């Protein structure tokens, strides 16, 4: 695989960045990437030109407009348009250019709000979606189904991976638009530095989420693109979840914050539980390797390093 020309779409994002790091670590020589200034994946003609010129042999589609519960709920038009356009243009251009293999990345929010737990792949489209991220989920379902149908009709090996909630280096620490883990790391860190007596956590604290380190996901992606007959879509997670209230206490401990924690129940909870059934990917020979507490500590160190280097807090996905 590493001798092939591999295009990683979305290499500036957390997932694409982790995939490129891993590929380079494995000695890959032909990793193709394109900045948004040179290739806007929302513009079909540009994408077709790029594929015709670069002729990748494998495409890893990690480009996405992403955000946490607030961003998804606030910018649904941008989430559905950008994600649908990027997926549709890339999948179709890859097919037209004769790319034999493409891996599309989605998210476990494609599954129904009240899916059976742990969520099997077969739960897709069996009941209504969670409303806070319906726009994003619909775009990801469309991408996954495009891959399935192109594989079925054209015989190309286009398939998908559905990761659970992610964390790790390169995350977005925006106070409102980020996901819960980076949001809490930053909020608890700032509360510690400013010696604030109370930190507010959104929602009831009762929802449960599962967290996968992005380096584990990168390993899973490179494992999946080497399978001869991969599933059309497969969950990638740990199979272990944690209540948001317990997560808040764990983050406080890792950061070293000793004040109070309160819950703002005027903020949405989103899906009550979202734990993946990972038996399908385990049967193919992949397992997560990074222990959550260790990964969390490393992520906090990475956040601190970013602060030392004076990195800007990433813009809201809607503004970026
Ligand atoms: O990570 P998160 O924004 O996304 O929120 P989802 C997870 C849970 O953490 C929710 C709570 O119950 C939030 O109410 N939470 C507590 C917070 N404090 C905070 C905070 O400060 N910031 C945030 N963001 N949440 C996303 C989807 O859903 O999951 C995306 O919106 C994507 O489409 C992603 O699928 C994986 O897990 O609810």
């Amino acid at each position: 695989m590493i001798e092939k020309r591999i295009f990683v779409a979305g290499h500036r994002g957390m997932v694409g960045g982790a995939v490129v790091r891993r590929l380079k670590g494995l000695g890959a020589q032909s990793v193709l990437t394109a900045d948004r200034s040179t290739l806007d994946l929302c513009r079909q003609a540009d994408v077709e030109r790029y594929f015709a010129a670069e002729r990748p042999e494998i495409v890893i589609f990690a480009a996405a407009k992403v955000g946490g519960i607030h961003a998804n709920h606030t910018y649904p038009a941008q989430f559905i348009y950008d994600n649908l356009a990027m997926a549709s243009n890339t999948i179709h251009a890859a097919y037209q250019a004769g790319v034999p293999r493409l891996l599309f990345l989605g998210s476990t929010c494609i599954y129904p709000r009240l899916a059976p737990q742990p969520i099997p792949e077969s739960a897709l489209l069996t009941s209504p979606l969670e409303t806070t991220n319906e726009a994003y989920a619909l775009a990801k379902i469309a991408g996954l189904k495009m891959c399935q149908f192109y594989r079925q009709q054209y015989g190309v090996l286009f398939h998908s991976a559905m990761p659970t909630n992610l964390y790790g280096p390169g995350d977005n620490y925006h106070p409102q638009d980020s996901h819960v883990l980076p949001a809490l790391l930053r909020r608890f860190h700032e509360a510690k530095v400013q010696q604030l007596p109370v930190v507010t956590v959104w929602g009831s604290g009762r929802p449960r989420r599962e967290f996968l380190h992005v380096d584990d996901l990168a390993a899973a992606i490179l494992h999946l693109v080497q399978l001869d007959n991969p599933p059309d879509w497969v969950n990638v997670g740990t199979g272990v979840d944690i209540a948001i209230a317990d997560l808040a206490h764990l983050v406080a401990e890792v950061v070293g914050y000793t004040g109070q924690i309160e819950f703002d129940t005027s903020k949405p909870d989103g899906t009550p539980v979202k734990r993946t059934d990972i038996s399908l990917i385990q049967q193919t020979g992949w397992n997560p390797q990074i222990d959550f507490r260790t990964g969390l500590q490393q992520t906090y160190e990475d956040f601190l390093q970013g602060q030392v280097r004076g990195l800007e807090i990433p813009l809201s996905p809607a503004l970026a």
Side-chain angles (χ1 to χ4, degrees), residues 67-70 72-73 79 107-110 130 132-133 136-137 163-166 175-181 183-184 187 200-205 207 209 211 244 247 267-271 274:
I69 194 164
H70 172 80
N72 270 270
H73 200 47
F79 272 72
S107 156
T108 52
C109 70
I110 60 159
E130 156 64 27
T132 54
N133 54 37
Y136 183 75
T164 192
N165 291 38
L166 300 169
Q176 274 81 44
D177 290 341
S178 64
H179 289 100
V180 60
L181 210 150
L184 294 186
R187 201 171 306 141
T200 303
V201 174
W202 297 355
S204 65
R209 292 292 183 274
F211 295 95
I244 296 298
L247 176 74
K267 293 282 199 300
D269 270 345
T271 306
K274 195 164 48 168

